Amino acid sequence: SDVLVENFKVGGLAKYGLGYDDLRKLNPGLVYCSITGFGQSGPLAPQAGYDFLVQAMGGLMSVTGARDGEPGAGPQKVGVAVTDLLTG
């Protein structure tokens, strides 16, 4: 079998005629792996899984930066795209 791995937002490749339903007509044995930030269905499925968004939602931004009450305090992103590094 041929294998296709993609990480576009849900439906991202379908608009170019490269979605699973399109490609399986050409190759019924195709193994199609779609990796998204929030899955294929559900209320967050259409969102992109950007590193900064995952840092914020996971609480990582709450433990970085200046202390509360100091100038510039509040949630801040980590200096490197740590979520991208840890998840591949």
Side-chain angles (χ1 to χ4, degrees):
S1 293
D2 293 317
V3 177
L4 182 137
V5 178
E6 60 96 348
N7 69 337
F8 288 80
K9 291 190 293 184
V10 173
L13 287 181
K15 65 184 172 184
Y16 301 109
L18 298 171
Y20 175 71
D21 290 333
D22 301 307
L23 296 179
R24 76 173 179 179
K25 292 175 188 171
L26 300 172
N27 183 350
L30 178 67
V31 175
Y32 191 105
C33 178
S34 177
I35 302 168
T36 67
F38 298 99
Q40 298 294 312
S41 61
L44 298 179
Q47 288 193 28
Y50 294 118
D51 185 87
F52 301 145
L53 179 65
V54 175
Q55 286 184 34
M57 292 180 76
L60 182 58
M61 287 185 176
S62 70
V63 296
T64 60
R67 294 179 191 218
D68 288 343
E70 293 183 9
Q76 294 184 15
K77 66 181 181 74
V78 175
V80 298
V82 69
T83 307
D84 288 344
L85 293 174
L86 294 174
T87 60

